[in-house]
Amino acid sequence: MPERREKPSKYTEDRRFAGAFEGETVSRRRFMTLTAHGAGGLAVGMFALPALGFAAGSALFDRPEVTWESIGDPGQFTTNTYVPKVITTVYGIGEVGKTTIYVRAYDPAQDPPKDPAIGNDFIALSNRCMHLGCPVRYVDAAKRFLCPCHGGVYGFQGEVSGGPPVRPLDRFYTRVRNGQVEVGPRYSVNSQFNRYPSYRDPGQIIDGVGEYLYPGRFSTPKLGD
Ligand code: FES
């Protein structure tokens, strides 16, 4: 018959802990360990919970509505040059919510094949440099976009052709409604012009592992996934 082991006493004194007090159930060493772990967990939570709450909250509640803004008659846009337009990307904050975009007509002879999910007939490029976000300017004589801050240069498609920018200029969805070209949300492209609906910030590479290192923001209005 197997020997029955007696249940150990809950009192530290009975278990012969050094320095035990009568009636004490937790040793001072264990008490200090639990206190230190609790304080560590609290400190981690103070940093982690707001970040998690921000991410989850944005995903669940704050995703902005997709808005489309008219930029006029399609006839004003050609395939061989860009027309600057000012659109509002953030409403309710006045002039700082506006940005300049460069728009031209899609040209099958030089542009990558149309993305069947969106089928943009007009190419609308953001003027934010993909190095640190300075405003780039289109120079028609050179058929290039130039950044005044650190010498970033982009080709006619918005691809990087010189300097420190890490990816092509971001783009905006376009469509034609009621005889007007409309501009929708912004999206990012990698060096192959593959589309990333949740746009990335300047300086964030999305080629290779960069796609996972710099995930898109949850608060991005998304279209055409
Ligand atoms: S911000 Fe454009 S090159 Fe640095």
Side-chain angles (χ1 to χ4, degrees):
M1 184 141 178
E3 190 182 323
R4 272 186 75 182
R5 293 185 63 187
E6 221 172 89
K7 207 175 159 197
S9 167
K10 66 179 182 178
Y11 296 107
T12 55
E13 192 180 29
D14 295 343
R15 285 185 278 158
R16 301 181 188 284
F17 281 21
F21 283 104
E22 187 183 345
E24 183 186 66
T25 55
V26 178
S27 70
R28 274 158 280 167
R29 174 179 294 183
R30 182 150 178 74
F31 177 77
M32 291 307 293
T33 303
L34 289 174
T35 304
H37 285 177
L42 191 65
V44 169
M46 285 169 70
F47 282 99
L49 288 180
L52 287 175
F54 176 78
S58 298
L60 294 174
F61 308 114
D62 288 335
R63 192 176 282 274
E65 270 182 36
V66 171
T67 56
W68 292 89
E69 185 172 339
S70 170
I71 54 168
D73 189 331
Q76 66 187 300
F77 303 111
T78 62
T79 56
N80 61 356
T81 192
Y82 284 91
V83 177
K85 293 284 176 182
V86 176
I87 61 164
T88 302
T89 51
V90 183
Y91 288 90
I93 58 171
E95 289 299 306
V96 293
K98 296 180 188 296
T99 188
T100 299
I101 59 172
Y102 289 96
V103 187
R104 68 172 166 83
Y106 174 80
D107 182 1
Q110 61 173 326
D111 287 316
K114 276 189 194 173
D115 184 335
I118 53 173
N120 287 7
D121 284 326
F122 295 89
I123 306 293
L125 300 185
S126 164
N127 79 331
R128 279 191 93 190
C129 180
M130 288 300 121
H131 176 220
L132 295 177
C134 286
V136 303
R137 188 169 61 90
Y138 177 65
V139 179
D140 195 39
K143 298 283 186 219
R144 280 181 158 58
F145 295 86
L146 306 179
C147 179
C149 291
H150 314 101
V153 181
Y154 301 83
F156 191 68
Q157 318 271 352
E159 77 280 15
V160 179
S161 63
V166 298
R167 64 173 202 260
L169 294 171
D170 280 355
R171 296 178 169 221
F172 288 83
Y173 294 93
T174 60
R175 68 181 187 185
V176 178
R177 289 287 187 280
N178 303 318
Q180 300 283 298
V181 178
E182 293 182 347
V183 176
R186 184 176 129 201
Y187 62 93
S188 296
V189 292
N190 65 10
S191 60
Q192 306 303 310
F193 293 103
N194 294 324
R195 180 173 53 92
Y196 290 81
S198 294
Y199 63 75
R200 282 23 178 208
D201 285 324
Q204 298 186 330
I205 303 165
I206 47 179
D207 281 302
V209 293
E211 178 183 347
Y212 307 103
L213 292 176
Y214 300 109
R217 281 200 251 132
F218 285 116
S219 56
T220 308
K222 279 212 296 186
L223 187 74
D225 278 316

